Amino acid sequence: MPALKAGTVDKARASVRAFKDGWPRVEGLIRMRSPEAADAVAQNLAALEKALMAASPDIEAVNGLITKVTLPYNGVVAQLTRDARATVAK
């Protein structure tokens, strides 16, 4: 999910929609590794969707929510990647 810039609201909405559509497929895996991260993603994703519904979204607030979604998600994905590489290296 890229950061929102002025004039790219429609693109941000589409990106968030795509992330939300894919979230159920990975939520269980993320939740197994970190229930806190899964909860943070779900809560902030809902807030992000709501913020993007505004006719003229607050770009700073939306970018903050994007960070609150992507940091915990990416943290778990990085952990999974490290674990997978360690397993293959054995």
Side-chain angles (χ1 to χ4, degrees):
M1 239 181 295
L4 176 66
K5 297 180 181 127
T8 61
V9 174
D10 288 337
K11 190 175 184 178
R13 287 179 180 134
S15 185
V16 168
R17 195 171 315 117
F19 184 90
K20 182 184 177 198
D21 289 348
W23 174 242
R25 291 190 292 274
V26 298
E27 182 179 7
L29 183 59
I30 301 294
R31 188 165 297 285
M32 280 191 327
R33 288 296 181 135
S34 174
E36 298 83 10
D39 289 344
V41 170
Q43 289 172 347
N44 288 299
L45 184 56
L48 178 56
E49 284 184 293
K50 185 176 179 181
L52 282 170
M53 282 201 252
S56 195
D58 178 336
I59 291 173
E60 190 174 321
V62 167
N63 282 333
L65 289 166
I66 289 171
T67 298
K68 288 180 178 182
V69 169
T70 57
L71 279 179
Y73 177 84
N74 289 341
V76 173
V77 169
Q79 178 186 8
L80 288 167
T81 301
R82 282 190 303 275
D83 291 350
R85 287 182 178 151
T87 301
V88 170
K90 289 182 180 180

